[in-house]
Amino acid sequence: MFRSCAFCNTPFDGDGGPSGLGVGRRIAFDEWKGRLWVVCPRCSRWNLTPFDDRLERIEAVARAAQSGRVAASTDQVALIRWERYDLVRVGKPLRVELATWRYGERLRNRQRERMKVVVPLTVAAIGLGIAANVAAGGGFGVIVWNIHRAVDWVYLRIVGSRKVSLIESPICTHCGSIMQLRARHVQHARIVPDAHADMGVLLSCPRCHQEGAQLTGIEAVQVLRQGLTYLNLARGGRRRAEDAAREVDRVGGPDHLVREIARRELPLRALRPERGLALEMAVDERAEVEELERQWREAEEIAEIADGTLGSSTLVEEELRRLKNRDGDQPSG
């Protein structure tokens, strides 16, 4: 078994998990066509595994996927979390009951990032406050008591000041200025319908405060991902991931949620807290699974060529037929 990516030569991470390959943390598989790939952690290209014992390994990965949890899916590709591995299932995914895992991990990571900034600043500020309190004879108790609020405010300013990464900054149609967007500016944006894309993001100019540019495609997604991260942090409170996930499912999935919000054309900051978090989830899930599907289509072209050289071995045909018939008909989609 190869140990590094055939495209960029980067060593694979992980140990292959349920596949038994010995390498890989993200494994992609297609039961119907008998494909098994290891996804490179660096370039994200899909590396087709040798055919020798591929079919048995696919069965093992498929069994693990059935007990895993679907993070996102399209009609063709499903991203499944199983223990510490990512399994990418090609074909119509099995329906898995909604639970906290869909977004809980990201919220926990966000909280850990916040604590890395807040805790040291709080400790330092309390130390200075105590010293000042002693020197002044106890007159700074209220200031020390409110230090954590001040530190939280500082952290939110840091997150809100992060520059939104765009290939080219838009130009405001009202004042003609280059819109240097920060994460905090996106809360004034609106998601709107667009005739040529899934959605458009109508941006408010930081200088003249008028709606001055509309983004679509990848740039719209990038703006939303950074802006919603700040907005959901700034609102505070304890919003549970499962509540936001139910909000996504209640309207029929990420695509339906985005279309519904676009139809109403509300500013992002006007969304209910749980809907704001649900929108962040939906945008992230759509972006990730669309990229996975693009990678799969590219990998499938290579696999068709590679496996096409195997000829029509009777043993291979019988094994593929057994896999196809194990769960019934071919997956739809």
Side-chain angles (χ1 to χ4, degrees):
M1 177 61 194
F2 47 83
R3 297 288 173 182
S4 60
C5 176
F7 300 94
C8 70
N9 207 35
T10 298
F12 291 125
D13 58 348
D15 58 7
S19 70
L21 291 168
V23 294
R25 196 189 67 81
R26 175 168 284 192
I27 307 295
F29 68 102
D30 183 339
E31 289 182 275
W32 182 253
K33 292 187 177 180
R35 310 268 200 252
L36 184 66
W37 297 270
V38 178
V39 182
C40 176
R42 181 180 179 183
C43 70
S44 298
R45 300 291 292 274
W46 292 25
N47 293 258
L48 188 67
T49 63
F51 197 86
D52 301 346
D53 54 355
R54 187 195 299 170
L55 300 180
E56 289 77 11
R57 296 186 189 280
I58 290 173
E59 285 191 274
V61 175
R63 284 194 298 270
Q66 288 179 349
S67 61
R69 298 160 179 173
V70 176
S73 67
T74 66
D75 287 341
Q76 293 291 346
V77 174
L79 175 61
I80 301 169
R81 311 291 189 193
W82 183 81
E83 295 184 0
R84 64 180 186 276
Y85 303 95
D86 290 342
L87 308 179
V88 181
R89 181 182 187 130
V90 177
K92 189 73 172 178
L94 299 176
R95 178 66 176 170
V96 178
E97 186 178 356
L98 180 66
T100 313
W101 49 262
R102 290 185 68 179
Y103 210 64
E105 182 180 352
R106 177 163 297 190
L107 292 180
R108 287 191 293 272
N109 289 339
R110 186 175 296 172
Q111 183 63 18
R112 284 193 288 268
E113 179 188 350
R114 184 175 191 159
M115 295 307 293
K116 287 179 182 178
V117 176
V118 170
V119 170
L121 287 177
T122 301
V123 171
I126 288 176
L128 291 173
I130 291 175
N133 194 36
V134 171
F140 286 84
V142 175
I143 295 177
V144 174
W145 180 259
N146 287 292
I147 279 176
H148 72 282
R149 295 184 181 179
V151 172
D152 262 345
W153 180 85
V154 170
Y155 176 73
L156 287 175
R157 291 292 297 178
I158 292 173
V159 175
S161 298
R162 289 174 179 169
K163 186 176 180 180
V164 176
S165 302
L166 295 173
I167 298 174
E168 186 176 350
S169 297
I171 297 176
C172 178
T173 57
H174 284 271
C175 66
S177 65
I178 297 176
M179 297 170 64
Q180 300 290 349
L181 292 173
R182 305 289 176 176
R184 66 178 181 273
H185 298 144
V186 183
Q187 63 182 312
H188 304 289
R190 293 188 294 131
I191 298 179
V192 296
D194 188 273
H196 306 291
D198 290 341
M199 64 175 181
V201 176
L202 193 57
L203 297 170
S204 177
C205 176
R207 176 172 293 182
C208 70
H209 305 294
Q210 299 293 318
E211 291 181 336
Q214 181 168 320
L215 301 179
T216 58
I218 295 175
E219 290 196 327
V221 171
Q222 182 62 28
V223 164
L224 286 176
R225 293 178 87 171
Q226 289 188 243
L228 287 167
T229 296
Y230 166 75
L231 181 61
N232 288 323
L233 275 173
R235 285 175 165 179
R238 296 189 61 184
R239 291 177 301 281
R240 298 188 305 170
E242 59 265 34
D243 292 339
R246 289 192 186 97
E247 181 78 10
V248 175
D249 275 7
R250 185 184 64 79
V251 298
D255 292 337
H256 287 83
L257 177 65
V258 171
R259 282 197 292 267
E260 180 179 317
I261 292 175
R263 179 179 56 81
R264 299 181 66 189
E265 299 190 17
L266 293 173
L268 295 181
R269 63 177 182 172
L271 298 175
R272 290 180 286 110
E274 62 272 16
R275 175 149 286 203
L277 183 56
L279 177 61
E280 184 182 353
M281 291 174 60
V283 171
D284 280 349
E285 289 177 1
R286 278 174 34 132
E288 183 170 13
V289 80
E290 285 172 5
E291 175 61 16
L292 281 173
E293 185 162 349
R294 184 196 65 77
Q295 294 169 4
W296 161 67
R297 293 187 186 280
E298 181 182 86
E300 179 62 19
E301 292 180 6
I302 298 174
E304 285 282 0
I305 297 172
D307 286 352
T309 63
L310 293 173
S312 56
S313 165
T314 304
L315 179 60
V316 170
E317 292 293 335
E318 289 178 354
E319 282 295 309
L320 284 173
R321 192 178 301 111
R322 183 179 64 82
L323 280 175
K324 293 174 183 179
N325 293 333
R326 190 187 64 184
D327 295 321
D329 296 332
Q330 178 181 5
S332 61

